[in-house]
Structures are given as C-alpha cells and as structure tokens.
Amino acid sequence: MRTIIQRVHTLTTLLLDDSPAAEDLADHLDMHLAKRYLVLVVRVPGLASGRRHDRVVQALLRRRRIPVAWYQPDELVMLLPSSGSDPTYLPAAPQPGALGLVREVAGMLEAPCAAGIATGRTGALAGVVALARSISRVAPAQATPNRLHTMADVFIELGVMRLPEVDHWLGDLARRLTAGPDLVGTLDAYYQNDMSRLNTAEALRIHPRTLDYRLHRVRQLVDIDPGSASGVRILSTAVTRALAVTRRHGS
C-alpha cells in the first residue's frame, strides 16, 4: 500500500504542476482523469509529519479512488472530479461527499481543520491549488468542519492578507473584544445565524437578554454597531481573522 500511496502522491503533484506526464501515470494506476477538478485543500494547523499522514491517505483511497497527497505537513490536497465551470463562486457543498471527507480527516487526526476549495480544468490547476491553499489559510479551523470555504466566503480576508495596515487594524479590534465575555465567539454565532437574536441565543445556549448585553458591550469596546451595514463588514472580517489566527497558533 505504501507504494500505491507514493504513486498517487506523484500523480497528484504532476496534476497540480500541470505536467503532461500525469496522464501516463494515471493509466498505470488505472485512474481516470477528469476534465475538471475541484481542488480541496484541508489545512490542519500545527500538524507535523508522521505516520498518520499515510493512514489518512490510505483511508481516503479506500473511500474514493482520487488523486490525494499531503502538499505540506499541515496541508492535505484532494482532487475531486467536477462538472462546475466557475473556479471561484461555488456553493458551500459543491461536491457530494466532499464535506464528509473533510470531517473524516478531522476525525482521524483528532484536530481542527479548515477547508478551502476552487475548481479548474486539468492542465491548468497550478493557479487553482494556489487559490485553494490561500483560502484554507484564512478560513477558521473547526473540530467538526461545517462548510467548505470558497473565495466568495473569504475574499475580504484574502485582500486583508496583502495589506498589513488593515490586518493590524482588524487585529487591534479583535484584541479589544477580548475585554468582554466571549465576544468573538458571540459575534461569530451572530453572523452565522444571519443576526437572528433568537437563533443566536439558542446556538450559544444563553438568554436573548444576555446576547443583547454582549452586543451592547461590543459597541462600547469598539464603537461599532455589530448590526449595522458597516459593522457587519468590519466585525465579521475581524472575527474570521481572529478565529483563523487562534487556530493557527493552536490556542
């Protein structure tokens, strides 16, 4: 099985490098190459090389015979055949079973994961995997991942990565929020529940009045209304950034 894992790793690398040699190796492995692929990058913050890498790939190959490889010690790449045409704006679950595969990886490693996805045609995947990797790096890692992130989900965070001044400003906002009672987690739940007071309070298992107090505390600390148009743009980005940084440092 070790030899198969190594050959599949080579095939995956050739595909991501847009090498024409991928087709011959795929034939030797009796793997049909798709015309288009959904490139799925699973980031596992803090994971180092070890025997678990091979065990994960082996388990995934038993489930689906697809190109899969550890691109970096903390980055697993899977290529799933896709019929989609747009490399960027994809729905949250564009490939049947894709989210299940990510959850399986998180379960096997017993570690939080973040998933970034993008699609492209075979022979032009180098840029696609670079995009999916960038997405996975700004997406928040979760013990039980609940979505596959696309550029549409994190395009603000991707832009912020290129502007240190904006990143510093958002980091300062997040630090100010630490003065309150779990305000980052509260805002995350608030925005994930489309700013519904009742649904957010239920998700957090707190009384709606407690939620109101926390949102008021946010306004006091950062002078931004979390329910306003500008508040949604600014604070949702600050929260996503804060969660990604927290997971990245394993704290």
Side-chain angles (χ1 to χ4, degrees):
M1 188 65 187
R2 174 64 180 168
T3 301
I4 296 297
I5 291 175
Q6 290 174 334
R7 289 181 178 177
V8 173
H9 182 284
T10 300
L11 172 63
T12 307
T13 302
L14 290 173
L15 285 168
L16 296 178
D17 288 342
D18 300 327
S19 171
E23 187 170 354
D24 288 339
L25 181 54
D27 287 340
H28 284 298
L29 291 170
D30 196 26
M31 294 178 68
H32 174 72
L33 294 187
K35 293 182 179 180
R36 299 184 64 82
Y37 279 104
L38 182 147
V39 179
L40 169 57
V41 177
V42 182
R43 179 176 59 88
V44 191
L47 184 68
S49 298
R51 295 180 180 178
R52 289 185 296 175
H53 286 70
D54 282 355
R55 289 202 294 268
V56 167
V57 172
Q58 185 175 347
L60 292 173
L61 288 174
R62 287 198 187 105
R63 286 275 304 275
R64 301 183 67 167
R65 198 164 176 78
I66 56 172
V68 56
W70 287 94
Y71 208 63
Q72 296 289 340
D74 62 349
E75 286 180 348
L76 178 69
V77 180
M78 291 179 268
L79 303 183
L80 307 177
S82 172
S83 58
S85 59
D86 194 312
T88 303
Y89 296 100
L90 296 168
Q95 178 70 30
L99 182 57
L101 292 176
V102 176
R103 288 175 173 170
E104 184 177 345
V105 171
M108 285 187 287
L109 295 174
E110 298 182 339
C113 297
I117 57 174
T119 61
R121 62 179 177 83
T122 301
L125 294 176
V128 177
V129 70
L131 174 59
R133 291 182 73 198
S134 295
I135 293 170
S136 74
R137 289 174 181 175
V138 298
Q142 299 173 311
T144 304
N146 59 17
R147 69 179 301 149
L148 308 176
H149 291 83
T150 71
M151 192 166 96
D153 298 312
V154 295
F155 69 95
I156 295 177
E157 289 81 2
L158 288 173
V160 166
M161 285 177 64
R162 301 177 182 272
L163 294 171
E165 297 84 1
V166 177
D167 187 58
H168 177 76
W169 172 59
L170 291 173
D172 180 63
L173 288 178
R175 281 190 291 273
R176 281 193 257 169
L177 291 174
T178 61
D182 192 23
L183 297 184
V184 170
T186 297
L187 287 172
D188 182 44
Y190 184 56
Y191 294 130
Q192 285 198 34
N193 285 279
D194 294 325
M195 297 184 290
S196 165
R197 288 177 66 253
L198 294 180
N199 290 344
T200 303
E202 182 179 356
L204 293 171
R205 298 182 180 179
I206 60 176
H207 194 279
R209 290 182 182 176
T210 302
L211 174 63
D212 292 339
Y213 165 76
R214 292 185 183 182
L215 296 178
H216 176 69
R217 186 72 176 125
V218 169
R219 288 192 290 271
Q220 287 181 321
L221 290 171
V222 298
D223 196 25
I224 299 173
D225 181 356
S228 67
S230 61
V232 173
R233 291 198 306 270
I234 296 169
L235 294 177
S236 65
T237 304
V239 165
T240 300
R241 177 199 177 280
L243 293 174
V245 169
T246 297
R247 293 300 189 186
R248 192 178 303 136
H249 293 289
S251 58

